[in-house]
Amino acid sequence: MTILDTRNDDTLLVTVPNKLLIAGEWRDSVAGGTFDVHNPATGSVLRTIANADADDGRAALDAAAAAQHGWARTTPHERSAILHRAYDRIITEKEALAYVMTLEMGKPLADARGEVQYAADFFKWFAEEAVRIHGTHALAPDGRGQILTVREPVGPCLLITPWNFPLAMGARKMGPAIAAGCTIVFKPAPQTPLSSLSLARILQKAGLPAGVLNLLTTTRAGEVVEPMLRSGIIRKMSFTGSTQTGRILLEQSASAIVRTSMELGGNAPFIVFEDADLDVAVNAAVAAKMRNMGEACTAANRLYVHESIAEDFTAQLTARFEALTIGDGTAEGVDVGPLIDAPSLAKVQGLVDRAVNAGARIRTGGAPLGGAGYFYPPTVLTDIPDGSDILSTEIFGPVAPIVTFTDEDAVVAEANATEWGLVGYVITQDIDRANRVTAALEVGMVGLNTGVVSNVAAPFGGVKQSGLGREGGHLGIDEFLNHKYIAIPAPKPASSSGA
Ligand code: ADP
């Protein structure tokens, strides 16, 4: 494990807006509040930005409501063209956007570049979906009429995103909302607002009309969001974040019957069967565990490895983890950046410490690096005692707890013994087993012999308490559309006196 020194070059930050975007204007919070955005690699302040309160929230809501009628009447071509132009601008600015993302979130530059492309791809995908908002037509089964359906924008939307994918989560929600003809109030996470502010600037430059996108940066999420959800003006909320916050927002959405899409937490099982190709298994495990330093709802949380290959797998995974370079993500060659903040570091440390105190064995890592920044090393644990909370908690850090098994049915039952159901990973070369286990897992997505499932063209989402609805793919835009049914009676018979 190599540890690289940090460096700090934040000259690019001056191009990032530091105000709220409301009705097409960049403004300060009316009450004048601000907050600081920090670099998790150094703890230093990157930028001070506007801190919205409930009054700013009301202004953003009014702006979205006022723009909705006109925006819904734009042509699909107009909306598609804006998204295509935004795609081009993101690609042109890729390097700067990646750098800003790394500064505020900590992920290595290579990962940040990948995320910029992923975010841009959502705009491209939904630019293409904007011109394919089809309805349906059917003859009523009794032949006495026709059934016509059209799809219409659901109305003003509230989009709330987390800090772990600062650009892609916003793009995955804004892309379909814009394509569908919905106006937006967007509230990014307070830890990583700079990427979202950059995205809003780009959409504005791409020709998005005033009021269609309103952006609120705030540390007072509850105070700003709850009145919006109860207002009766917001018709749709799309949230990505913790199950705990999702539950609160679902309750608040109930008061005005707001449609919701919820991408919540996960506790992904990663199952390696005895017939697995070991190279495939280790590569997939590194991808599924170490992408974003493990700070992903899709991260492999529990690694179940067949007893007969567990030692080989553990040795290879440990060697791969030890070869990774830790450091400030802005330095080229870094594989593992810092965790997002002190509470996240303390949480990961607590989970590992409790498991170890109860008897788990550390194969590598296992303690924070100390010094400035929230660095935790890639860690492999084995001999995890039954009932350890590291197996039932979303770790959100670079820790791989390995549990051995011998029986397929038993491991599937264990994998399913959780209230979460976002993603599962299955590593096997046996086609029958692949079919059986992918069917048996209670999840919204399965990685079969791969550690990466995210794809703009695929429906992303979970079952059980991992969420409601799907993002991306053909289903993504449907979350922002209402289906209107128009009943057309059978035509009257032609008059017999006709010519
Ligand atoms: P995490 O613990 O990873 O930060 P959260 O679910 O708390 O996950 O945060 C995800 C998003 O939800 C962030 O934008 C955050 O500001 C927002 N959020 C947190 N609490 C609330 C709340 N009570 N109402 C509305 N948004 C919230």
Side-chain angles (χ1 to χ4, degrees), residues 160-161 163 187-190 221-222 225 239-242 245 249:
I160 303 176
T161 55
W163 48 262
K187 195 213 81 61
V225 163
F239 170 77
T240 299
S242 62
T245 301
L249 294 176

Side-chain angles (χ1 to χ4, degrees), residues 158-164 187-191 218-226 229 237 239-246 248-249 252 264 340-341 344 394 396:
L158 175 61
L159 311 181
I160 303 176
T161 55
W163 48 262
N164 58 344
K187 195 213 81 61
Q191 295 93 333
T218 182
T219 56
R220 306 186 188 106
E223 189 189 313
V224 173
V225 163
E226 184 169 358
L229 285 174
M237 192 230 341
F239 170 77
T240 299
S242 62
T243 298
Q244 197 185 357
T245 301
I248 295 169
L249 294 176
Q252 293 174 1
L264 307 177
I340 189 69
D341 53 21
S344 293
E394 190 173 29
F396 246 60

